[in-house]
Amino acid sequence: MPPTPDPVEDDLDTLPPPPPVFHAEQALLGALLLEPHRGAQIKGITAGAFSTAAHAALFAAIRSLPAPDPAQHSRNTAWLNQVLAAAGEQTRGLTTAYLHHLIQCCPQPRHAPAYARIIEEEHSRRLLRGAAHRLIQTTLDTSLPHRVATTLAEAGALTTVVDDIATRFPTRSGSLPRALATTPVTTRDEEAGEEEQLLLATATARPGSVERMRWLVPGDFTHPLHAGLWQCLTTLSRRGTPIDPVTVLWEAQCHDIAGTAEPRELLGLLSDPDGCDPDYWGEQILQRSLLTTAHHTGRRIEMLTDDPATTTYQLVVGARRALADLSAVRVRWHHATTPPQANAPAHNRISAPPRAGPPPTTAPPAVRIPR
């Protein structure tokens, strides 16, 4: 029989200890409560940067009240009472004893800017983690009517967060982020495999579409065999070699792409097109690749933020590297879904004036004026 928990036993010891930034928040608030004039040294931090509602309310109250005269503040607690009253309007549970506790938690009030910097760094980490998590959730939400557009919008918001962090924390020399063991999220399901087979068959039947679909690369495929066969198709197209199931099969054999697949099986795969345009199946494959890359990008950034040893500089570098992979797929998606006229470079349509020619060698004919 399992032991019955004692209701009298205090379970506070089971709670995880507060993170280091919590102590930095206490130290900063204690410095501002003890020496309010230190608030003029604190720049670029708001109440939203604090990890608890109580700390955020206290910081907002301190910011909203004018700093008292240092001499008077050392003799009475009138200003502290005003801070407590203003903070109490935003959250409950604050007491005078906690304000005195915060003052005792501050080792050196003159280090207030350093405490604020710590809080700002951790807040940036939380913002980056939240943006990455929203990107991940968007890639998984199949109920969205415009899933790709919404995913790219979240990726843009994530990029804005990274750029903002880089602005507030300028690049400096330092070690690069550690390589994290991440596993790319693939959607190697039956539907994806069928779409890839239909693309290969229709592209083999309509070779002219292969050269047009340069925006699709083997890495977009979920099955290695299908990726290899697409590589064969693009190679044959660029060489100008005739394309049909037999030539693709021979190219696959020359590059040892077929693997364990039987020749008859590959011929059947490449000889069963449907009535759809190959571009349609290519866009379906590229869309799946974009969503997969976006999901993997969000996971990489989220894992970086979960590692407490990753500095703010390393977060920016690692996040930008992850976003660069997604940006490359985004560019190819733009080329795939934009009409050719929009992708073509804009030319100046204003006709140039005619160039001056050599002077005439004969006199112009006389013009008769009717009488």
Side-chain angles (χ1 to χ4, degrees), residues 7-358:
V8 183
E9 182 181 0
D10 190 1
D11 61 348
L12 293 180
D13 293 337
T14 62
L15 297 177
V21 69
F22 180 82
H23 301 284
E25 294 176 6
Q26 287 186 322
L28 174 62
L29 293 173
L32 297 180
L33 292 173
L34 183 61
E35 299 180 3
H37 67 277
R38 301 284 181 186
Q41 305 172 358
I42 308 304
K43 306 294 183 182
I45 184 175
T46 63
F50 289 80
S51 61
T52 68
H55 289 176
L58 282 172
F59 185 80
I62 293 172
R63 284 297 203 194
S64 65
L65 297 173
D69 179 72
Q72 293 182 358
H73 183 63
S74 62
R75 292 195 299 265
N76 58 68
T77 61
W79 187 80
L80 294 179
N81 294 335
Q82 294 177 12
V83 170
L84 184 61
E89 296 177 357
Q90 303 180 40
T91 187
R92 298 180 180 180
L94 290 173
T95 62
T96 305
Y98 188 66
L99 267 60
H100 288 286
H101 173 70
L102 292 175
I103 294 174
Q104 295 174 357
C105 289
C106 178
Q108 292 290 344
R110 67 175 182 271
H111 295 167
Y115 304 147
R117 193 68 169 174
I118 296 173
I119 297 169
E120 189 179 6
E121 288 187 13
E122 187 61 25
H123 179 55
S124 299
R125 184 186 298 268
R126 291 199 302 269
L127 289 177
L128 188 58
R129 183 187 297 116
H133 182 72
R134 288 190 295 272
L135 175 62
I136 294 172
Q137 295 304 312
T138 302
T139 63
L140 299 176
D141 190 355
T142 58
S143 65
L144 294 172
H146 305 287
R147 193 174 171 190
V148 172
T150 307
T151 297
L152 293 179
E154 288 294 343
L158 176 57
T159 303
T160 301
V161 173
V162 175
D163 292 341
D164 181 63
I165 296 174
T167 301
R168 289 185 288 114
F169 298 91
T171 303
R172 54 178 176 78
S173 60
S175 60
L176 297 178
R178 294 182 295 175
L180 301 177
T182 58
T183 303
V185 180
T186 59
T187 53
R188 189 171 170 179
D189 53 16
E190 183 178 352
E191 181 181 1
E194 290 178 355
E195 291 176 353
E196 293 171 2
Q197 291 178 14
L198 288 170
L199 168 66
L200 294 171
T202 53
T204 303
R206 304 177 188 178
S209 63
V210 178
E211 185 67 17
R212 187 174 65 248
M213 297 169 61
R214 290 191 173 187
W215 38 262
L216 190 66
V217 299
D220 295 325
F221 289 74
T222 62
H223 198 290
L225 174 61
H226 299 162
L229 291 175
W230 179 252
Q231 182 65 54
C232 293
L233 281 168
T234 57
T235 301
L236 292 173
S237 175
R238 290 168 186 172
R239 286 205 311 247
T241 305
I243 295 178
D244 60 32
V246 174
T247 59
V248 176
L249 175 63
W250 179 254
E251 184 72 17
Q253 175 181 316
C254 292
H255 292 83
D256 195 21
I257 291 174
T260 59
E262 295 290 337
R264 189 179 301 275
E265 178 185 351
L266 293 182
L267 287 175
L269 185 153
L270 297 169
S271 305
D272 189 19
D274 69 342
C276 291
D277 189 6
D279 295 68
Y280 169 78
W281 296 117
E283 289 183 14
Q284 294 297 110
I285 295 170
L286 183 57
Q287 173 178 310
R288 181 177 287 103
S289 176
L290 187 147
L291 293 174
T292 300
T293 305
H295 188 282
H296 184 43
T297 297
R299 285 288 302 129
R300 286 173 60 186
I301 297 176
E302 192 177 53
M303 292 180 68
L304 282 173
T305 61
D306 290 340
D307 184 4
T310 306
T311 65
T312 307
Y313 164 75
Q314 293 173 329
L315 284 177
V316 172
V317 174
R320 283 181 168 171
R321 285 183 173 182
L323 287 167
D325 296 339
L326 178 57
S327 179
V329 185
R330 184 209 301 256
V331 171
R332 293 193 287 111
W333 173 257
H334 173 76
H335 284 288
T337 57
T338 304
Q341 295 81 2
N343 282 327
H347 297 284
N348 190 357
R349 299 179 180 274
I350 302 176
S351 59
R355 299 178 59 183

